Amino acid sequence: MSFAFVFPGQGSQSLHMMDGFAAHAEVKATFDEASSVLGEDLWSMLQAETPEAINATVNTQPLMLAAGVATWRAWRAAGGATPSLLAGHSLGEYSALVAAEALSFADAVRLVRLRAEAMQQAVPAGSGGMAAILGLSDDDVRAACADAAAGDVVEAVNFNSPGQIVIAGSKAAVERAMEACKARGAKRALPLPVSVPSHCALMKPAAERLAGALAGLEIKAPAIAVLHNADVASYAEADRIRDALVRQLYSPVRWTETVQSMAADGIALMAECGPGKVLAGLAKRIDGNVKCLALTDAAALSAALVELA
C-alpha cells in the first residue's frame, strides 16, 4: 500500500505528550539521546506541572523533533512498513529528514536548538506577531497583507488548509492586516500566542545563521523522498536540501499544496507521526479522500500497524 508519514511542528506540544508510549523503550531512549546532546533533561520538561518550559521556543523545537523521531523509531521497531513519502509541517520537516536518514538525529537536535535561538534573537520580544485568518481565500489574505503593510512586514506564512491561513510580521502590521482581513469577509482573525513571527521576511537574519550551521553539516540523499515546505518538492542533493531548509525559515509553509501533491501521487492514507492530531485534521479539510491516522500513543500505533500492513 502506498502511504505517507507526516510530522507535526511547533504548537502540537503538550505536557506528558509521550506518556502513551511508555511501553516502547525506543521512545525514552530517543529522548535520552537528545538530552545528552543538549546537556539537559528533555523528558523531565514533559513531566513538569506547568508548560512554561516546553512552550519556550528553544525547548519546543528539540522536544518536537525528539517526539517525531521517537514515534518513528517506535513504528519501525514494531515492524511498521516504510512509507512512500515523508513531509513535516515547518519544524516537522527536520523530523522527516531524520526519518529519511538524510540528517543524523544528533545533528538535527543541535540544528533545531540553534534554529530556535536564531529565530528568537532575530526579532525583539514583543515586536512581532502572528494571527490565524479563518474563512478567507489565499488571494484575499495576501491582498489584505499588502494593503496593511504600510512599509512594515506582514505576510501570509502558513497555508494550512483552504480557509485557514496564518499571517506573520511586525506586531502593528499584523494587527492592521487582521482588520483588513475582517473587512474582506474573514470569519475570524485570531492573534496567536507566539514569541516569534515565523516564516516571514523578519526571519532572514535567522536564516543566515542557519545557513552557516548547515554549511558544515553532513546531509545524505534521503532514503525516502521528503517534500519540502518551501517548494512542495523533494531533493536528493545535499546543497538543495540545505537551501530548502534555509528558505523555509522566511518562506510560507505550503501545507495545502503538500497534501494535494501527495493525493495527486496516489497517496490515500497518511499517518501523523508525533503528538497531537493537527495534521490529521488539516488533511481532512484539504482532501476528503485522504485519510490521516494520528499515532498519538501505543494503542493508535498498534491500530495503524494493522491498517498500514
Side-chain angles (χ1 to χ4, degrees), residues 84-86 97 222 224-229 231-237 240-241 244 261 265:
S84 303
L85 277 172
L86 302 172
L97 287 167
I224 308 168
V226 176
L227 287 181
H228 292 274
N229 289 181
D231 303 322
V232 195
S234 59
Y235 300 116
E237 303 84 5
R240 298 196 74 177
I241 293 170
S261 175
D265 284 343

Side-chain angles (χ1 to χ4, degrees), residues 5-10 30-31 60-73 86-105 107-109 111-112 115 222 224-229 245 248 272-275 279:
F5 263 43
V6 292
F7 295 82
Q10 203 161 341
T30 299
F31 273 81
T60 307
Q61 295 201 26
L63 281 167
M64 286 302 300
L65 170 74
V69 172
T71 306
W72 168 256
R73 288 177 173 177
L86 302 172
H89 190 285
S90 188
L91 174 71
E93 193 166 291
Y94 290 80
S95 301
L97 287 167
V98 173
E101 300 175 13
L103 270 178
S104 77
F105 180 53
D107 282 345
V109 170
L111 195 60
V112 300
R115 178 181 185 266
I224 308 168
V226 176
L227 287 181
H228 292 274
N229 289 181
L245 290 175
Q248 187 219 54
E272 182 170 0
C273 191
L279 301 184

Side-chain angles (χ1 to χ4, degrees), residues 199-259:
H199 301 292
C200 72
L202 296 176
M203 288 294 105
K204 286 191 175 180
E208 291 176 5
R209 282 190 60 191
L210 183 66
L214 281 164
L217 207 63
E218 181 183 18
I219 297 180
K220 300 177 182 177
I224 308 168
V226 176
L227 287 181
H228 292 274
N229 289 181
D231 303 322
V232 195
S234 59
Y235 300 116
E237 303 84 5
D239 283 346
R240 298 196 74 177
I241 293 170
R242 290 188 184 97
D243 178 60
L245 290 175
V246 170
R247 285 185 293 111
Q248 187 219 54
L249 262 188
Y250 59 83
S251 301
V253 175
R254 297 163 59 184
W255 195 252
T256 298
E257 293 174 81
T258 298
V259 174

Side-chain angles (χ1 to χ4, degrees), residues 26-290:
E26 301 80 16
V27 170
K28 186 59 166 56
T30 299
F31 273 81
D32 287 346
E33 183 180 349
S35 297
S36 178
V37 169
L38 296 179
E40 53 190 304
D41 192 341
L42 295 181
W43 188 265
S44 291
M45 289 185 192
L46 296 179
Q47 311 307 313
E49 294 184 2
T50 60
E52 282 79 11
I54 70 166
N55 288 340
T57 297
V58 293
N59 295 327
T60 307
Q61 295 201 26
L63 281 167
M64 286 302 300
L65 170 74
V69 172
T71 306
W72 168 256
R73 288 177 173 177
W75 169 262
R76 298 298 283 160
T82 303
S84 303
L85 277 172
L86 302 172
H89 190 285
S90 188
L91 174 71
E93 193 166 291
Y94 290 80
S95 301
L97 287 167
V98 173
E101 300 175 13
L103 270 178
S104 77
F105 180 53
D107 282 345
V109 170
R110 284 186 283 266
L111 195 60
V112 300
R113 170 55 65 84
L114 178 144
R115 178 181 185 266
E117 290 172 347
M119 291 172 71
Q120 192 69 71
Q121 292 167 8
V123 179
S127 65
M130 299 182 78
I133 309 300
L134 307 180
L136 202 60
S137 73
D138 295 0
D139 286 343
D140 278 337
V141 174
R142 291 189 186 101
C145 288
D147 291 345
D152 291 332
V153 171
V154 59
E155 302 166 5
V157 297
N158 288 5
F159 294 92
N160 287 331
S161 68
Q164 184 178 326
I165 301 163
V166 174
I167 64 174
S170 65
K171 185 177 180 181
V174 168
E175 290 170 352
R176 292 194 299 269
M178 289 169 63
E179 294 306 314
C181 286
K182 286 189 277 190
R184 287 174 176 267
K187 292 179 180 177
R188 301 186 76 183
L190 307 170
L192 299 177
V194 297
S195 58
V196 174
S198 303
H199 301 292
C200 72
L202 296 176
M203 288 294 105
K204 286 191 175 180
E208 291 176 5
R209 282 190 60 191
L210 183 66
L214 281 164
L217 207 63
E218 181 183 18
I219 297 180
K220 300 177 182 177
I224 308 168
V226 176
L227 287 181
H228 292 274
N229 289 181
D231 303 322
V232 195
S234 59
Y235 300 116
E237 303 84 5
D239 283 346
R240 298 196 74 177
I241 293 170
R242 290 188 184 97
D243 178 60
L245 290 175
V246 170
R247 285 185 293 111
Q248 187 219 54
L249 262 188
Y250 59 83
S251 301
V253 175
R254 297 163 59 184
W255 195 252
T256 298
E257 293 174 81
T258 298
V259 174
Q260 290 171 338
S261 175
M262 288 182 173
D265 284 343
I267 300 293
L269 195 55
M270 297 163 50
E272 182 170 0
C273 191
K277 300 180 180 181
V278 171
L279 301 184
L282 294 178
K284 187 183 299 184
R285 297 189 194 100
I286 294 167
D287 189 328
N289 295 316
V290 176

